[in-house]
Amino acid sequence: MRVKIAGVELRSPVIAASGTFAYGVEFEEILSTDRIGAFVTKGLSLHPMDGNKAPRIIETTGGMMNAIGLQNIGVDAFIADKLPGIRKMRGSVCIANVFGYSIEDCIGVIERLNKAEGLVMYELNASCPNTKHGGMVFGTDPESLGELVSRCKAVSKRPLLVKLSPNVTNIGGMARVAEAAGADAVSLVNTFLSLAIDTETRKPRIANITGGLSGPAIKPIAVRMVWDVARSVNIPIIGMGGIAKAEDAVEFLLAGATAVEVGTASYADPRAAEKIANNLERWCISHDVAKVADLTGGLRL
Ligand SMILES: Cc1cc2nc3c(=O)[nH]c(=O)nc-3n(C[C@H](O)[C@H](O)[C@H](O)COP(=O)(O)O)c2cc1C
């Protein structure tokens, strides 16, 4: 079940996704972290953030919408209060998710994390508005994305995984920009920009007005995007979007992903990532797949 991403070997290709697995330590009693490949922390910013007003999570057909607003304890509190516990967890492999509203903020987070022990990689969330450029989302503007990635890569002492926004026309082109700027791998997809309206009050169902759609409803779009990216870059891909069972993970691997992340499914069942990892191993055995890595890019046309 082992896979390798940017020189880091993971015992399973199944990873718990950012924003759905807290800071990892909270799941210690819930699942066996040594059964999943890794987990990704909630997005970490330079300073703590309160996030948006409620309601900020709703259920939709086949998925959910959220506008948490990147609430987090900030990188310093993460290093002081969470990382010591993470280091003690049995077989835990932690990827830190990083974001900022300016490139300097992202660099500040990475530089602080560089000095800390117990992390294998950074996942840079490019779906965040660049306040210095009038709120344009880094991940939807090729020039901003290129600058963000190259400057973060220059200071990063660990492999840099760039998480792409799906809210673009040409996701393959954005992945090429990330690769050219030095990304060691890309992960996709983040959530899709969406709007739900309460027909009685005629108001948005989420206080922030719009939110990000995730869960099974987005899976076929996400698989198509992974396939597009796989034909555009040579760096490894981590695929996600609506994975709820082992066969969903297999689809992403066949489309070209080396590993997968499980997000929204953890809301329905906090042990989802472990169950999917176990069932993926069973699936490989029952389908005579000797190595899970052999599935990557195995789509037959
Ligand atoms: C409540 C919630 C919070 C999230 N927070 C983050 C975050 O802080 N950083 C990030 O890169 N992605 C975040 N995501 C996106 C997920 O990691 C994932 O990319 C997305 O939900 C698609 O996968 P899924 O359909 O399996 O959930 C969040 C998703 C949800 C549902």
Side-chain angles (χ1 to χ4, degrees):
M1 295 303 285
R2 292 191 166 269
V3 293
K4 209 169 185 183
I5 293 178
V8 178
E9 202 175 59
L10 304 178
R11 69 177 80 84
S12 162
V14 180
I15 300 168
S18 179
T20 63
F21 209 73
Y23 301 99
V25 271
E26 298 82 353
F27 279 74
E28 197 176 5
E29 308 286 312
I30 296 172
L31 57 69
S32 310
T33 40
D34 59 352
R35 290 295 306 163
I36 58 175
F39 62 83
V40 188
T41 67
K42 175 66 186 168
L44 301 168
S45 51
L46 200 48
H47 305 292
M49 282 179 53
D50 289 339
N52 293 328
K53 282 202 202 106
R56 52 187 201 171
I57 283 192
I58 59 161
E59 201 165 333
T60 58
T61 309
M64 68 186 264
M65 275 171 62
N66 90 83
I68 302 294
L70 293 163
Q71 178 183 345
N72 78 102
I73 58 174
V75 65
D76 293 329
F78 169 75
I79 292 169
D81 303 337
K82 302 289 180 182
L83 209 44
I86 291 172
R87 284 195 288 261
K88 282 192 210 129
M89 281 162 74
R90 196 160 58 103
S92 79
V93 178
C94 181
I95 299 172
N97 185 284
V98 172
F99 76 95
Y101 290 96
S102 68
I103 294 176
E104 291 71 26
D105 279 3
C106 293
I107 289 174
V109 176
I110 291 172
E111 284 178 337
R112 280 162 177 76
L113 294 173
N114 278 341
K115 293 188 208 123
E117 296 289 319
L119 302 164
V120 293
M121 230 188 273
Y122 304 137
E123 180 178 61
L124 178 64
N125 178 5
S127 303
C128 197
N130 180 351
T131 42
K132 286 207 178 141
H133 286 83
M136 164 73 80
V137 176
F138 281 114
T140 60
D141 175 51
E143 222 172 283
S144 299
L145 181 68
E147 194 189 346
L148 173 74
V149 174
S150 60
R151 289 187 55 198
C152 287
K153 174 66 189 169
V155 296
S156 179
K157 294 217 167 101
R158 295 191 169 100
L160 188 69
L161 171 62
V162 176
K163 187 162 177 181
L164 301 173
S165 165
N167 299 305
V168 295
T169 313
N170 178 4
I171 190 107
M174 297 305 275
R176 270 197 300 274
V177 168
E179 181 181 43
D184 295 295
V186 285
S187 57
L188 65 143
V189 298
N190 212 313
T191 56
F192 287 82
L193 201 56
S194 50
L195 171 65
I197 301 172
D198 182 319
T199 49
E200 293 308 312
T201 62
R202 303 192 178 194
K203 289 188 169 166
R205 291 180 60 201
I206 281 194
N208 184 56
I209 306 176
T210 57
L213 181 67
S214 61
I218 68 169
K219 195 190 74 182
I221 316 179
V223 173
R224 187 271 296 171
M225 288 186 155
V226 166
W227 181 60
D228 278 348
V229 169
R231 289 175 301 153
S232 305
V233 297
N234 293 313
I235 48 178
I237 300 165
I238 300 182
M240 78 198 87
I243 296 175
K245 55 184 196 298
E247 287 82 355
D248 298 333
V250 173
E251 280 193 59
F252 279 90
L253 299 175
L254 292 175
T258 297
V260 296
E261 290 182 27
V262 173
T264 297
S266 295
Y267 275 76
D269 176 358
R271 290 186 61 209
E274 182 185 353
K275 287 180 184 169
I276 292 167
N278 290 339
N279 287 335
L280 180 61
E281 188 167 1
R282 286 190 198 107
W283 191 95
C284 287
I285 292 166
S286 68
H287 289 75
D288 291 329
V289 174
K291 285 190 295 190
V292 73
D294 293 342
L295 290 172
T296 296
L299 175 68
R300 291 182 190 145
L301 297 173

